[in-house]
Amino acid sequence: ALLSDSQKEQIHDTARLANLLIRGANDIPVATISSEGNASFDQTVAAQTGQFGKLVIAAPQTQTSPIDTALGSNASTGRARIPRGRTRIQVSSNQITNQSLVYITPVTQTGNQVLYVSSQYESGENGYFEVAIDKSVTFDIEFNWWVIN
């Protein structure tokens, strides 16, 4: 049977607003692409190259402890500080594994103190790394951090 122009238009409008859904084993959805161009995948995405207008590695959800020597985040990058008079800070992140590379870059003066990763510990959602200096200083030391797995 032939479709009328109105039926064709209705099918076209429906298709334009539809989402592409990819199902895996047991008919469970594993990926979607919306009509707006948003894509979602349940597992790893692999590619030779990628081009992004903006890349968000993780939406930071940070919280500072009352004693100001611990910081929590689910991001793989961030900024923290060692408070004046202290020699270390603990940064909690679910991104940390025992094999993670943790890069730290001071963004304020350090008083000739070298910042270093003194420990890191993987524990599922409670992993952390600790950044330390050998001697306390009379000012805060701020630094950027980046976790690579």
Side-chain angles (χ1 to χ4, degrees):
L2 294 175
L3 298 175
S4 70
D5 286 340
S6 128
Q7 288 173 318
K8 288 179 185 176
E9 188 175 311
Q10 184 179 7
I11 290 171
H12 182 283
D13 286 346
T14 302
R16 185 177 38 169
L17 299 174
N19 291 334
L20 173 63
L21 177 64
I22 301 170
R23 295 181 182 275
N26 299 322
D27 205 33
I28 296 172
V30 294
T32 60
I33 300 176
S34 73
S35 59
E36 292 86 24
N38 297 317
S40 174
F41 301 92
D42 286 349
Q43 297 294 319
T44 303
V45 175
Q48 292 297 318
T49 62
Q51 185 174 1
F52 306 94
K54 181 179 180 182
L55 176 62
V56 177
I57 295 177
Q61 296 173 344
T62 0
Q63 58 189 32
T64 305
S65 76
I67 58 171
D68 209 20
T69 58
L71 178 77
S73 177
N74 73 336
S76 59
T77 63
R79 183 173 230 170
R81 68 182 172 89
I82 299 175
R84 68 175 181 255
R86 306 281 176 110
T87 59
R88 62 188 61 241
I89 185 172
Q90 187 180 91
V91 179
S92 298
S93 172
N94 61 6
Q95 302 297 316
I96 294 292
T97 70
N98 292 330
Q99 290 76 38
S100 295
L101 299 176
V102 180
Y103 294 95
I104 51 177
T105 307
V107 294
T108 60
Q109 67 174 333
T110 64
N112 291 326
Q113 293 294 306
V114 176
L115 279 72
Y116 61 95
V117 177
S118 60
S119 65
Q120 69 188 61
Y121 178 73
E122 173 184 0
S123 178
E125 295 295 314
N126 300 316
Y128 70 86
F129 64 93
E130 199 168 73
V131 176
I133 55 179
D134 289 333
K135 296 180 182 175
S136 65
V137 292
T138 59
F139 47 85
D140 293 349
I141 299 175
E142 292 186 23
F143 60 94
N144 293 329
W145 55 268
W146 183 18
V147 175
I148 298 180
N149 289 311

